[in-house]
Amino acid sequence: MPLIDEGKKAPAFSLADQDGKTHRLADYAGRPVVIYFYPKDDTPGCTKESCAFRDNLPKFKKSKAAIFGVSILDEASKKRFADKFDLNFPLLADPNHEVADKYGVWQKKSLYGRQFMGIVRTTYLIGPDGKIARRWDNVKVDGHAEDVLNAVQNL
C-alpha cells in the first residue's frame, strides 16, 4: 500500500505492546497520536530515535500526545529493548507487518546489493480528529523527536 497523505483518515490499528497490553487507535480519539515506524529493536539508529522520544516524553505529555514506536519484532523483543533503555512508552509489535502495510511503510529495501522487504523509517502525526496531520519520510534520527514535538505543539 502507498504511504498515507496528510489530511486522510489514519488507518485503525490494534497491536500489543512490550507488556502485552493492546492499544487501539480508537482508544486515543480526541488527542494527538505519534506513530514512528522503525526497522529493528536495539540497533543503533532505532535506539537513538527511541531514546530521543523517551527524553522528550514529558513535553509530549504536556500536549496530551500519545507516542508509539512500531516494528515487526515480537513483544518479547520489545520488552528487552524497553527494559534495556528505559523506554517508558508503548512499543508495539507488528510481527505480520499488517499495520506497517496499512501505513505504507513495509517496502522493498536494498542493502549491500541485497533486496528485501522491511520497514522504512517513517513517522506519522495523527491529529485529534483522526486524520494524518503530518508525515515524515526517510527519517533522519538526529533532531527528529524535537521536530515531531514542535509539530504536535503547533496542532
Side-chain angles (χ1 to χ4, degrees):
M1 289 189 134
L3 291 165
I4 301 160
D5 291 328
E6 293 173 10
K8 301 287 185 189
K9 184 169 175 42
F13 64 81
S14 178
L15 293 173
D17 69 12
Q18 67 268 30
D19 296 317
K21 180 182 178 194
T22 298
H23 296 269
R24 293 168 190 78
L25 181 58
D27 297 338
Y28 298 88
R31 57 189 282 206
V33 175
V34 173
I35 305 173
Y36 72 95
F37 290 91
Y38 63 97
K40 194 172 180 187
D41 297 333
D42 202 4
T43 56
C46 299
T47 298
K48 190 172 184 180
E49 181 179 24
S50 296
C51 288
F53 278 107
R54 176 203 64 206
D55 294 347
N56 283 283
L57 194 59
K59 294 174 187 170
F60 279 106
K61 285 186 175 182
K62 282 183 184 173
S63 298
K64 300 200 181 339
I67 308 292
F68 298 104
V70 181
S71 82
I72 61 167
L73 297 177
D74 65 18
E75 294 168 37
S77 176
K78 301 272 169 284
K79 180 75 172 153
R80 286 189 302 274
F81 185 38
D83 288 350
K84 183 174 180 180
F85 294 100
D86 284 329
L87 302 175
N88 53 351
F89 57 90
L91 298 177
L92 305 180
D94 186 19
N96 298 317
H97 55 82
E98 290 172 18
V99 175
D101 276 332
K102 286 182 183 181
Y103 280 80
V105 302
W106 184 252
Q107 299 177 14
K108 188 179 289 186
K109 297 171 73 173
S110 183
L111 183 65
Y112 304 118
R114 195 182 111 231
Q115 291 194 336
F116 57 96
M117 295 299 289
I119 287 182
V120 175
R121 194 181 306 275
T122 307
T123 300
Y124 283 95
L125 170 57
I126 301 168
D129 61 358
K131 293 182 180 177
I132 304 298
R134 179 112 186 254
R135 183 184 79 217
W136 290 262
D137 301 323
N138 300 310
V139 168
K140 302 295 180 240
V141 172
D142 288 333
H144 178 61
E146 292 79 8
D147 190 28
V148 175
L149 176 61
N150 187 47
V152 168
Q153 292 171 335
N154 289 319
L155 274 179

